[in-house]
Amino acid sequence: QVRLVESGGGSVQAGGSLTLSCTVSVFSIRNYCMKWFRQVPGKKREGVAAIATDGSTRYADSVQGRFIIFKDNAKNTLYLQVNNLVPDDSAVYYCAARDPGGCTLEYLYTYLGQGTQVTVSS
């Protein structure tokens, strides 16, 4: 059974940092476009960051320069380092895998995790 398990969320003050992890089982992340989405209650899920099979990355304008997406293929784990957090970053963060070929921030995925909550207080 395919599983994507996120961890590392929590409550932090504005300006703080967290590192989110997504451990994947069954398939190899090296063969997929891997993404992070986030969702605030009442709003659509938005693409935050994506990393392609060749390691190239994309970021939403709102997080560019503050968030870093990276992966460890040997550990089959995806990460999102979130820095200089602001209250608007508060959301449930989801990791996802998408078949390679056009690794964008669009809300398109093949597999999706259950999410981890990030709460940023001012």
Side-chain angles (χ1 to χ4, degrees), residues 11-20 38 48 61-68 80-90 93 118-122:
S11 297
V12 296
Q13 290 190 326
S17 299
L18 290 169
T19 300
L20 309 183
R38 67 184 180 186
V48 173
D61 290 344
S62 59
V63 307
Q64 181 75 48
R66 299 189 298 121
F67 289 12
I68 302 171
L80 184 69
Q81 183 175 338
V82 296
N83 301 312
N84 195 19
L85 286 162
V86 298
D88 282 349
D89 293 321
S90 297
Y93 284 73
V118 173
T119 303
V120 185
S121 58
S122 58

Side-chain angles (χ1 to χ4, degrees), residues 27-34 53 71 73 98-100:
F27 67 89
S28 176
I29 65 172
R30 71 174 68 243
N31 298 323
Y32 284 78
C33 163
M34 299 300 296
T53 55
K71 61 182 179 175
N73 289 332
R98 172 72 173 164
D99 292 336

